[in-house]
Amino acid sequence: MAVIGSIIKGLIQVTDAVSSEPKPHEAQAEVLKNLLKKAKNTAFGLHYNFEELLEADDIKAEFASRIPIFDYNKINDEWWSKMHEGEENVTWPGKPPYFALSSGTTGKSSKRIPVTDDMVEAIRQTGIKQVASLANYDLPSDFFQKEIMMLGSSTDLKQVEDHEEGEISGISASNIPFWFRNFYKPGVEISQIEDWDERVLQIAKEAKNWDIGALTGIPSWTELMLKKIIEYHNASNIHEIWPNLMVYSTGGVAFEPYEKAFDKLVSHPLVVIDTYLASEGFMAFQSRPETRSMQLVVDNGIYFEFVPFKPEYIGEDGAVTPDAPVLPLEKVEPEKDYVLLISTVSGAWRYVIGDTIKFTDVDRLEIRITGRTKFFLNVVGSQLSVNKMNDAIKEMEQKFNITIPEFTVAAIKKDGEYIHKWYLGTEADINNEELAAALDKALQEANKNYGVARSKALKGVEVVKTSPDTFTSWSAANKKKGGQVKMEKVMNEEKFTEWEEFVNKQ
């Protein structure tokens, strides 16, 4: 059997060697042209005259000038909602066979994002690119014949009129190629179980029958699954069940806050590979082990634009202001935060996906997700992004030798003055005042604007410890368990009041 692994590894290495990276700016220009050509006879393409736009001397500039920026509510109200009324050829030719349900991190109501056959194929092709990049990792030949545990949402998609609905991980898993199904776990039957707790229980029962070499999934839910398997089999760590587990492919949120918690569940470190798969498309993946940054995929059905992430360009609701400057790929700079706009083969156009990113290496097209536009805490000029928060939390973990896998924060008024109130998910035996002082100090040292705010309008910092399980219970109560569901890191005052009432009932 090791021979099979050697053959697969050899094929991957050959594929990686012969595939040439596209020239990024040319690739993006070609992607945009192809998007416009294919959609020119849709209602959207006719409305914005794509035919004429294609004749422009500078298509990128003309595209940015003519087409407004859309968030979900705007494009859904004006365009996508027509698909649910039976219209076709709305923002992309034909009708989408799927809609990805995404409650994201900001509310109970699900967004319904079209997923076309072209997008399913684009996701598959990017997945193949990621597999080919494994040639860059020092993995043994027999790894390539191990099974892969894909912990996503249920693949039992809901039929609604002429399309199916589910989370993007369930849609992707329901479209895996036939040749991959022997490697895929938990398999078709278990993956169709809708109830997350029941699905994880069945995974735990079957775990010893599988030879898992790699995991994929959002960290918080993957951690809970691993704990359940370890508990069910009365094991000390997951490697007693899956001794050949070597790789964890994560995504959706930063892995660093969960790193120490994962270390307690394994007997030896895993190779962690970041991916950027959202309901709107597969946008980037980590292609080499020397970095935790991800390589943007610029030649596969998604055209990218970038808005400098500055307070004057972002509204309180996280929306991009109409006068915000927008840059094409060739004008981005390293280590600066940008709001990501995408136009895709699913008929999203200049769409604010809600994530902020920075380029760690412009030449390699490598990025890191730095936060969410709605998770930008700037009520009193503190200008705190999620990546700054994550860095401070990681510093506290190291300082006190504790784990804090989850947190949330809000700017609230106390005695007529604004304070930041944090809830930290930790079992640490440290008092709240000591944690608050350390967190405040770390943020002031890392963020000049936060330091200025603390000397003026931001009058204090409070910390409340709660069990990490409280955060998953909140997600389960407000949305559902598993899949793409992520915890909101920053809340407005109204949501924070609901959160505190929930915590007090636990």
Side-chain angles (χ1 to χ4, degrees), residues 169 270 329:
S169 57
L270 301 179
L329 180 63

Side-chain angles (χ1 to χ4, degrees), residues 6 41 125 140 147 150 164 219 250 303 315 359 361 383 409 436 442:
S6 297
N41 292 320
Q125 290 300 319
E147 295 162 324
M150 298 172 63
E164 293 181 293
T250 180
Y303 176 68
F359 282 84
D361 189 322
Q383 296 191 27
V409 60

Side-chain angles (χ1 to χ4, degrees), residues 392 395-396 399-400 420 422 424 430-445 450 454 460-464:
E395 186 174 323
M396 290 178 64
K399 176 181 174 66
F400 295 111
H420 282 179
W422 294 72
L424 303 183
I430 303 171
N431 67 55
N432 290 336
E433 291 74 20
E434 190 174 359
L435 287 170
L439 179 57
D440 189 28
K441 182 174 183 288
L443 288 169
Q444 288 192 53
E445 291 175 351
Y450 176 84
R454 282 292 286 119
V461 175
E462 289 186 6
V463 162
V464 178

